């Protein structure tokens, strides 16, 4: 049963290029993320970071020799579990496809998604809010304006 669900989700994500796909049933603790980035497909379970002032839901996958695909997608759960506001997503993610599986509306990056509705978001709808502390995509707070982690110069 679990393998069938995994295949169903991968099939849906496969319809979109360079995307992450989430069928949102839980905002506070996160729901399974499926990715289709280049030729790579797979599933990432959410991690929850309990912060002093703000909790966040993290989806992180690090590249390995066997699997060079990496991703980093993070959001703040806000309100009473009705709002998802991204603050970081890796450059290889060109689309975030969000399906509302809940019984009431969901707000993703200031846009309402009705129950059962699926919406596609692009990096244009996402405002980079924080820098990734692990320097993914070269967006480290300590190297802005200098040579970034990927070896290219970034002047902002």
């Amino acid at each position: 049963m679990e393998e069938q669900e995994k295949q169903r989700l991968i099939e849906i994500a496969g319809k979109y290029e360079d995307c992450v796909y989430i069928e949102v049933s839980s905002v506070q603790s996160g729901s399974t993320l499926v990715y289709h980035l280049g030729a790579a497909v797979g599933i990432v379970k959410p991690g929850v970071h309990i912060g002093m002032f703000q909790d966040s839901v993290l989806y992180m996958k690090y590249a390995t020799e066997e699997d060079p695909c990496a991703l980093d997608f993070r959001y703040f759960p806000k309100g009473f579990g009705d709002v998802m506001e991204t603050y970081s997503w890796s450059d290889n993610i060109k689309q975030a496809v969000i399906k509302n599986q809940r019984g009431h509306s969901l707000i993703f990056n200031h846009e309402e998604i009705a129950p059962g509705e699926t919406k596609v978001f692009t990096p244009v709808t996402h405002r980079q809010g924080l820098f990734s502390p692990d320097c993914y995509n070269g967006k480290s707070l300590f190297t802005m304006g200098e040579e970034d982690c990927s070896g290219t110069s970034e002047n902002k």
Side-chain angles (χ1 to χ4, degrees):
M1 194 74 136
E2 188 175 317
E3 191 60 34
Q4 287 177 331
E5 178 65 2
K6 180 179 175 181
Q7 288 306 317
R8 182 187 74 80
L9 292 170
I10 288 173
E11 188 176 304
I12 293 169
K15 296 176 184 177
Y16 302 91
E17 283 189 41
D18 297 324
C19 81
V20 293
Y21 174 76
I22 305 173
E23 290 183 349
V24 178
S25 56
S26 173
V27 171
Q28 295 299 116
S29 60
S31 301
T32 300
L33 176 144
V34 185
Y35 63 89
H36 176 221
L37 302 171
V41 295
I43 291 180
V44 177
K45 296 292 184 183
V48 176
H49 171 74
I50 307 299
M52 187 180 299
F53 300 105
Q54 174 68 57
D55 296 344
S56 59
V57 177
L58 318 171
Y59 297 94
M60 298 180 298
K61 180 183 177 306
Y62 296 99
T64 63
E65 277 188 36
E66 300 82 35
D67 183 2
C69 181
L71 70 89
D72 190 331
F73 187 80
R74 305 172 186 210
Y75 72 85
F76 292 127
K78 294 188 170 189
F80 294 101
D82 298 332
V83 178
M84 299 168 69
E85 187 175 310
T86 59
Y87 66 90
S88 180
W89 71 23
S90 51
D91 293 341
N92 58 344
I93 300 170
K94 304 303 181 202
Q95 303 179 82
V97 183
I98 308 298
K99 180 173 183 178
N100 183 356
Q101 293 285 82
R102 300 150 35 97
H104 53 280
S105 290
L106 167 72
I107 305 294
F108 183 88
N109 286 355
H110 307 286
E111 192 168 325
E112 185 173 345
I113 305 173
E117 183 179 18
T118 301
K119 285 196 177 182
V120 177
F121 298 85
T122 64
V124 173
T125 63
H126 156 74
R127 197 176 80 222
Q128 185 75 32
L130 296 176
F131 300 102
S132 176
D134 53 7
C135 206
Y136 189 80
N137 288 333
K139 295 177 183 172
S140 171
L141 178 61
F142 304 108
T143 59
M144 290 304 288
E146 300 176 13
E147 193 165 299
D148 68 17
C149 295
S150 63
T152 61
S153 205
E154 189 176 291
N155 296 317
K156 287 196 173 186

